[in-house]
Amino acid sequence: MRTVTGPTQRIVVVGAGLGGLSAALRLAGAGREVTVLERAGVPGGRAGLLETGGYSFDTGPTVLTLPDLVADALDAVGERLEDWVTLRPVTPAYRARYADGSHLDVLADPEAMAAEIERVIGPAEAAGYQRYVGFVSELYRLQMRHFIDRNLDSPADLLTPSLARLAVLGGFRRLAPKVEQYLKDPRTQRVFSFQSMYAGLSPYDALAIYAVIAYMDSVAGVFFPVGGVHALPRGLAGAAVKHGVTLRYHTTVTGIERVGRRAVAVRTADGERIPADVVVLNPDLPVAYRDLIGTVPWSVRRVRCSPSAVVLLAGSRARYPDPVHHTILFGDAWDQVFREIIDDGRVMSDPSLLVTNPTVSDPTLAPDGREIYAVLAPTPNLVAGTRSGLDWSRQAVPYREHLLATLEARGYPGFTEAIEAEQMTTPLDWQAQGMMAGTPFAAAHSFAQTGPFRPGNLWGENVVLTGSGTQPGIGVPMVLVSGRLAAERILGPDRTYRSRAWR
Amino acid sequence: MATITSSGDPELGADRSGSLAPDAGRVPLPRQILVVGAVGGLLLGIGAFRLGVTPTPDPFVDLPGLHWLSTSPSGAFAAMGLIVTGMALLVGAWLAIGRVFWQGRRLSPGSLRRAFWAWSAPLLLAPPLLSRDAYSYAAQAHLAHIGLNPYLYGPGILPGSVYTPSVDPIWMYSPAPYGPLVLWLSGHVVGLVPNVSPGWRVYLAVLGVRLIAVAGVVMLLYAVPRLARTLGWDPGLALWLGVLNPLVLGHFVSGAHNDALMLGLLMIGLALAAERRLLTATVAITLAVAIKVPAIVGLGFVAMAWAGTLTGPWRRVRAFTAVGVVSAALFTAVTTFTGLGWGWISALGTPGMVRTLLSTTTTTGTVLGWLAGLVGLQDVTNPAISVLRLLGTAAGVVVVAWLVLRRRQVDVARGTGLALLAIVALSPAVQPWYVLWAVVPLAASRLSTREVTVLTWSTVALTFYSLVNGSTMIAGVSQVGTVAVFAAACAVVVIDHRRALRGSRWPSFGARPPTRRDPATVQAPVVTSRR
């Protein structure tokens, strides 16, 4: 495995996102002097926080999966997860509501889920689901240790017995046909394959290995931290500070000072120069290369990004009967949705939406008797959007109306009227925050941008990258892993390492 | 409510000469009073599951027996009824004990201690009444336990901590204003809480915090009568006024305030000082200061007592130096041992962040600001409060210095009690339980009949004030209604007490005004301890 060269005592981490914090904890645990520089006033990066009108909105992820990976990061400094973050299971993990009016609750317990499928669809489908659980569990077991939680230097690293086993399982077929092999009803097919959207691809393009995401959220279970998802970076930052990490907020890094391919210091907007033996970069990869390192390698320049999303955060007086944390409103259209937002660069004509109601899990996020709704609508990213001439500076307002009208018609009557605090984020806003192509979902997980083919996490002699743009990929679990992989590039391989998530 | 009367022979009255024989001629507490108070405690304990402060998330809603009480609107009304009735019975029983004393009979301290436990047992396991502070203590203890210094961070630093959602938002980002010893202690106690479901974890932590407060109350049960006896005062009466007091049950047992441990150590220190064991007294009071700072005034009186034992020049300077050196060394050792540092000094202003009605300076400032608004002056309130608070604090320092240094000394309990009373009276922020800082030491000192009467009525008034203040924060109960119900209950208790007293004579308690011709002062103590 390749590592940085030279001394590794003084380490500067740029960005207190989950990747940067995960790396910082590992480095502090190994006795390094770590300084984390964060431009915002709070940690978390994309797992951000918006406080307004008595509401605490999570601006990023809406739940946490694989909490063992958080425990791993805290293990590095000898801390226990339950002392820093309190996690509550989210049950059901999702409620899928279909255009035909039926609904299906996704439960992490396979027995209970089989019973739910039998109730909604039938016994044959329930049996198919149980075989599907066997398939995704096996995928997880094979992938996590050998391909995900591991630094891959070249495609040759992939050549392991697990690769052959993955191939035999059908992991390199496309996701949609693979799912159809187990599940015959379009409703279950959708609910167990839409996760490819998290990886930036339609289920018709994604490889079946991405069914591992369905394992993470639909089988391993979904959790919500007390105090919101943002409590997670807060907890990690607290533990890091306790263990000697210097965390400086409101400190914007404007560039890396380097000699050839070796970084020697970072410079801040205040003109301060902070010397470093190693620099860890947590910003979005293209931005990190373009603005901080000053050169963009081809592997990054060629990147195709995931679709983006419009997120409407609403503090609301309205409460709807039998609320659940996550509701997916599936439209009637399905493959057309992917064609529109990925290929055509248009907004969905028959939208499928994710509605998160986090106050179901933690009512203290809103004032008494109030609710929070976060409505996520997948949209094209800014690059795809140019194909249809999509201009968010003009489309934002009409699109908001369109979203609200859709919600009113699909089970949220009076939604618009009840809003008392609101923020809408469009791809233009994501771009302004430094995200390439205006998407918070980074490089898509096509085969050519997966594993060793994804932009690497080591540049030059001593610059290491972490976050969703590099290996292994996007999502809170992967980003936490990317922090570990970054630390490993600095500290060297740890033969005794056994993740709680796969040991 | 039935009037509790106690038949008895008034001829058993206290000895007017001022010296009370240890336990001779003492009668046990009438059973009827004990039972009425215990029923009151039980009703309060049950009502606390709804109108007390429950953890977030509330673990009791899932218990079949408590679901209705915890969730339904009618449950809130029922709990209101339980609280009002419980407090009326408790205060009524407490006043009934007072009437036993007024009839001139002396009660055995043992039976009063038993009554204390019988009354407070239900409160020991129920959620805290009247204040959310126990949840702040638990959250700060958790920070201390995991190694985040509570003098640097408020609970809000960890929004994902199981303890944070239960903390009053006012204190969410405030550093802890408490001494290092109590944070260290509570940190270890909260560290023992097992990783059960969030609501129960918080609740267990609160019970752990309460355990610390109750340890302080146990010290009071021991030290208050002992000190009273040393000072020639009735130990039973001291227990009744200083420990069986409804404010102690409400704020120290139920509310779990760490002031209990401060007072427990302070009273042990004063009891030792009255017995001329001045070095151990200094140690005990220094530990009290390491819980909460106001106990520091006790050291002044210990130093004065010390000066009384010395001969030669510069007696006061030498005594103060000795006490100061011992105390500073011990405090430094405690601080070093806990590893928490000196951050509490800068956090001492934290309680002043809220405006409390009981603070004379703050309330006067508020009223002045309001009056100025009437004549067209705007924005006077905040400067007025700031100036008055500053003047009040300065005046407090002067009064305390005068009480400590004046030539004609009173006994340590009375001196400390009056000094703490001055501090509370002039403090920028006064919570109802702060008044106990003064009530408990004063209860152990020789009081005149008038003083006992004043302390009794103050207790009744503050108990009902605390209830109104503490209950109106519970959503779903109207404020006007709450005040009216409590006022009515208060009136019933007072009228009942007055009616029961009618016709009975008001004997002296065997105390004369203690500053005159009083042998039981520190400089010339009459040690009537039981050894």
Side-chain angles (χ1 to χ4, degrees):
Chain A
M1 191 191 90
R2 289 193 296 137
T3 58
V4 299
T5 58
T8 61
Q9 189 52 34
R10 285 174 310 169
I11 299 168
V12 172
V13 179
V14 180
L18 290 170
L21 291 170
S22 167
L25 282 168
R26 266 99 184 186
L27 296 166
R32 302 302 195 274
E33 294 163 36
V34 184
T35 304
V36 180
L37 307 174
E38 168 59 50
R39 68 179 172 186
V42 290
R46 285 173 209 190
L49 173 72
L50 171 70
E51 287 183 306
T52 177
Y55 294 90
S56 295
F57 295 102
D58 280 318
T59 59
T62 56
V63 282
L64 175 68
T65 58
L66 294 187
D68 281 345
L69 294 169
V70 182
D72 276 351
L74 290 168
D75 277 344
V77 288
E79 296 292 343
R80 298 185 308 175
L81 172 65
E82 67 264 26
D83 283 341
W84 298 86
V85 188
T86 309
L87 300 177
R88 290 189 214 154
V90 175
T91 308
Y94 297 95
R95 171 165 298 161
R97 290 201 345 211
Y98 301 98
D100 66 3
S102 65
H103 75 83
L104 183 70
D105 280 352
V106 178
L107 304 163
D109 174 8
E111 296 296 319
M113 185 67 214
E116 170 77 0
I117 292 177
E118 192 166 334
R119 174 185 76 78
V120 178
I121 300 161
E125 191 72 358
Y129 158 76
Q130 281 173 321
R131 286 188 294 117
Y132 182 70
V133 168
F135 166 68
V136 294
S137 304
E138 177 75 358
L139 276 186
Y140 175 80
R141 202 181 57 75
L142 289 170
Q143 286 175 233
M144 197 64 194
R145 178 168 186 179
H146 298 290
F147 301 110
I148 295 175
D149 195 6
R150 179 170 165 222
N151 271 308
L152 300 166
D153 286 328
S154 80
D157 287 338
L158 293 176
L159 300 174
T160 67
S162 299
L163 184 71
R165 180 84 189 114
L166 272 185
V168 171
L169 278 175
F172 296 100
R173 296 176 56 194
R174 301 288 156 178
L175 179 63
K178 186 68 192 170
V179 168
E180 282 164 24
Q181 195 183 317
Y182 300 98
L183 301 166
K184 307 301 178 195
D185 190 283
R187 289 173 293 183
T188 39
Q189 287 171 0
R190 286 183 188 191
V191 89
F192 289 109
S193 61
F194 85 91
Q195 288 89 350
S196 72
M197 279 298 286
Y198 294 157
L201 297 168
S202 123
Y204 301 96
D205 294 328
L207 296 179
I209 50 174
Y210 284 104
V212 74
I213 307 176
Y215 172 85
M216 292 176 192
D217 70 5
S218 305
V219 181
V222 168
F223 298 85
F224 191 70
V226 165
V229 172
H230 193 258
L232 174 63
R234 292 275 189 121
L236 295 181
V241 168
K242 177 188 169 188
H243 289 275
V245 172
T246 307
L247 229 168
R248 291 173 53 186
Y249 295 110
H250 302 295
T251 306
T252 304
V253 171
T254 49
I256 291 175
E257 186 180 315
R258 57 188 172 95
V259 179
R261 289 169 66 81
R262 164 165 284 278
V264 293
V266 301
R267 288 196 179 277
T268 73
D270 299 337
E272 192 181 354
R273 176 184 184 276
I274 303 170
D277 295 332
V278 178
V279 175
V280 179
L281 298 178
N282 193 193
D284 201 35
L285 227 58
V287 175
Y289 274 110
R290 187 190 67 208
D291 296 350
L292 302 182
I293 299 177
T295 167
V296 186
W298 180 77
S299 68
V300 175
R301 213 174 307 160
R302 70 173 175 120
V303 153
R304 248 177 11 95
C305 281
S306 292
S308 183
V310 162
V311 175
L312 179 69
L313 301 173
S316 167
R317 287 185 298 270
R319 186 179 176 83
Y320 297 94
D322 191 16
V324 293
H325 189 102
H326 271 157
T327 303
I328 304 171
L329 300 175
F330 284 108
D332 204 20
W334 189 234
D335 25 349
Q336 179 198 335
V337 167
F338 302 106
R339 213 167 38 245
E340 284 170 342
I341 62 175
I342 296 173
D343 302 328
D344 303 348
R346 290 187 286 129
V347 297
M348 299 175 287
S349 51
D350 177 13
S352 287
L353 306 173
L354 172 64
V355 180
T356 307
N357 186 188
T359 32
V360 170
S361 298
D362 186 351
T364 63
L365 298 174
D368 261 352
R370 298 291 193 269
E371 297 288 321
I372 289 178
Y373 297 94
V375 183
L376 183 144
T379 66
N381 64 39
L382 291 179
V383 173
T386 54
R387 278 177 229 142
S388 70
L390 184 59
D391 177 1
W392 284 107
S393 62
R394 287 190 298 118
Q395 283 302 308
V397 174
Y399 195 64
R400 174 180 175 276
E401 302 303 320
H402 172 65
L403 276 183
L404 291 171
T406 309
L407 287 166
E408 299 262 358
R410 294 217 204 144
Y412 295 89
F415 190 90
T416 316
E417 186 82 332
I419 295 176
E420 57 176 31
E422 178 183 343
Q423 190 194 54
M424 189 163 106
T425 309
T426 68
L428 280 179
D429 302 310
W430 299 121
Q431 186 181 46
Q433 291 173 36
M435 298 176 202
M436 186 193 190
T439 173
F441 300 113
H445 277 266
S446 56
F447 181 74
Q449 297 183 163
T450 288
F453 310 110
R454 199 168 177 82
N457 57 1
L458 182 59
W459 181 88
E461 292 176 34
N462 64 342
V463 177
V464 181
L465 298 119
T466 180
S468 56
T470 182
Q471 297 167 15
I474 78 141
V476 174
M478 296 304 106
V479 167
L480 289 166
V481 167
S482 87
R484 191 195 79 78
L485 297 179
E488 195 180 50
R489 289 287 189 199
I490 298 165
L491 302 170
D494 175 5
R495 307 264 171 235
T496 64
Y497 171 70
R498 292 279 179 282
S499 170
R500 287 169 185 264
W502 49 254
R503 69 183 171 205
Chain B
M1 191 183 71
T3 302
I4 305 158
T5 51
S6 43
S7 57
D9 182 1
E11 294 313 309
L12 281 171
D15 178 357
R16 285 176 183 248
S17 74
S19 67
L20 290 159
D23 281 343
R26 295 188 180 278
V27 296
L29 182 66
R31 174 164 294 273
Q32 193 192 2
I33 298 180
L34 180 112
V35 171
V36 169
V39 170
L42 185 66
L43 298 187
L44 284 174
I46 299 172
F49 283 91
R50 178 62 186 263
L51 289 184
V53 187
T54 50
T56 309
D58 189 339
F60 307 119
V61 294
D62 298 331
L63 292 183
L66 286 171
H67 181 79
W68 170 76
L69 187 68
S70 298
T71 54
S72 73
S74 50
F77 273 100
M80 193 72 186
L82 290 172
I83 297 275
V84 171
T85 316
M87 197 42 109
L89 290 178
L90 194 70
V91 173
W94 184 73
L95 288 172
I97 299 181
R99 291 198 295 274
V100 176
F101 288 108
W102 269 303
Q103 285 165 356
R105 291 186 300 159
R106 286 175 288 165
L107 290 166
S108 77
S111 70
L112 290 170
R113 286 197 190 95
R114 278 192 294 282
F116 178 82
W117 292 119
W119 295 8
S120 58
L123 300 174
L124 286 171
L125 287 177
L129 284 163
L130 313 174
S131 153
R132 299 194 77 93
D133 283 15
Y135 293 92
S136 291
Y137 295 169
Q140 288 163 347
H142 176 69
L143 292 183
H145 165 62
I146 62 174
L148 290 180
N149 194 326
Y151 296 143
L152 299 179
Y153 307 106
I157 181 83
L158 280 188
S161 156
V162 70
Y163 302 107
T164 307
S166 304
V167 174
D168 192 319
I170 299 173
W171 310 124
M172 195 57 98
Y173 295 97
S174 322
Y178 313 116
L181 187 58
V182 72
L183 291 173
W184 178 85
L185 256 178
S186 57
H188 281 264
V189 172
V190 168
L192 296 175
V193 172
N195 189 18
V196 288
S197 75
W200 286 110
R201 220 175 129 192
V202 175
Y203 194 58
L204 288 177
V206 163
L207 293 185
V209 163
R210 178 178 287 151
L211 206 61
I212 293 172
V214 170
V217 173
V218 170
M219 293 180 195
L220 292 180
L221 284 170
Y222 165 77
V224 167
R226 175 168 161 171
L227 175 58
R229 207 177 264 127
T230 310
L231 297 175
W233 176 239
D234 181 10
L237 201 98
L239 261 181
W240 167 71
L241 195 54
V243 191
L244 212 53
N245 192 310
L247 289 171
V248 171
L249 278 108
H251 290 300
F252 285 180
V253 179
S254 181
H257 288 287
N258 55 23
D259 306 56
L261 187 58
M262 173 192 79
L263 270 177
L265 288 163
L266 175 66
M267 293 309 289
I268 286 181
L270 295 180
L272 291 166
E275 295 165 23
R276 297 235 175 170
R277 290 156 67 181
L278 297 170
L279 189 65
T280 40
T282 306
V283 169
I285 297 178
T286 303
L287 293 179
V289 179
I291 305 296
K292 216 170 167 175
V293 175
I296 202 163
V297 300
L299 289 174
F301 293 96
V302 172
M304 286 303 285
W306 199 316
T309 67
L310 300 176
T311 52
W314 301 97
R315 291 184 305 166
R316 286 188 184 185
V317 174
R318 281 154 55 207
F320 272 92
T321 309
V323 170
V325 166
V326 170
S327 181
L330 178 61
F331 199 96
T332 308
V334 169
T335 301
T336 312
F337 170 72
T338 60
L340 290 167
W342 301 90
W344 55 272
I345 297 177
S346 56
L348 285 179
T350 300
M353 286 164 27
V354 291
R355 288 188 192 172
T356 47
L357 187 64
L358 290 179
S359 163
T360 48
T361 53
T362 303
T363 302
T364 310
T366 310
V367 171
L368 280 181
W370 177 74
L371 289 175
L374 288 186
V375 299
L377 287 171
Q378 299 302 316
D379 303 324
V380 177
T381 309
N382 283 330
I385 288 177
S386 302
V387 170
L388 282 167
R389 280 180 168 188
L390 194 67
L391 291 176
T393 308
V397 171
V398 171
V399 172
V400 169
W402 174 75
L403 281 168
V404 170
L405 296 172
R406 67 179 169 159
R407 215 162 272 286
R408 201 162 61 193
Q409 269 293 317
V410 294
D411 64 63
V412 282
R414 191 179 183 84
T416 307
L418 289 177
L420 286 169
L421 187 63
I423 289 178
V424 172
L426 296 165
S427 163
V430 179
Q431 301 292 351
W433 56 94
Y434 288 6
V435 178
L436 286 168
W437 302 349
V439 170
V440 175
L442 286 176
S445 74
R446 298 159 63 84
L447 298 167
S448 67
T449 305
R450 175 179 296 275
E451 287 164 341
V452 172
T453 309
V454 167
L455 287 178
T456 306
W457 290 122
S458 307
T459 295
V460 174
L462 273 173
T463 303
F464 283 97
Y465 170 79
S466 305
L467 269 174
V468 173
N469 196 34
S471 304
T472 46
M473 67 187 177
I474 310 292
V477 180
S478 101
Q479 300 212 358
V480 177
T482 310
V483 175
V485 168
F486 279 116
C490 188
V492 168
V493 170
V494 170
I495 291 167
D496 179 67
H497 179 63
R498 297 298 297 267
R499 195 163 52 85
L501 270 181
R502 199 179 302 142
S504 64
R505 63 199 181 92
W506 286 55
S508 157
F509 292 93
R512 292 147 297 159
T515 51
R516 278 169 226 144
R517 309 182 309 276
D518 192 336
T521 63
V522 171
Q523 278 136 337
V526 175
V527 180
T528 52
S529 98
R530 65 233 167 287
R531 279 167 300 126

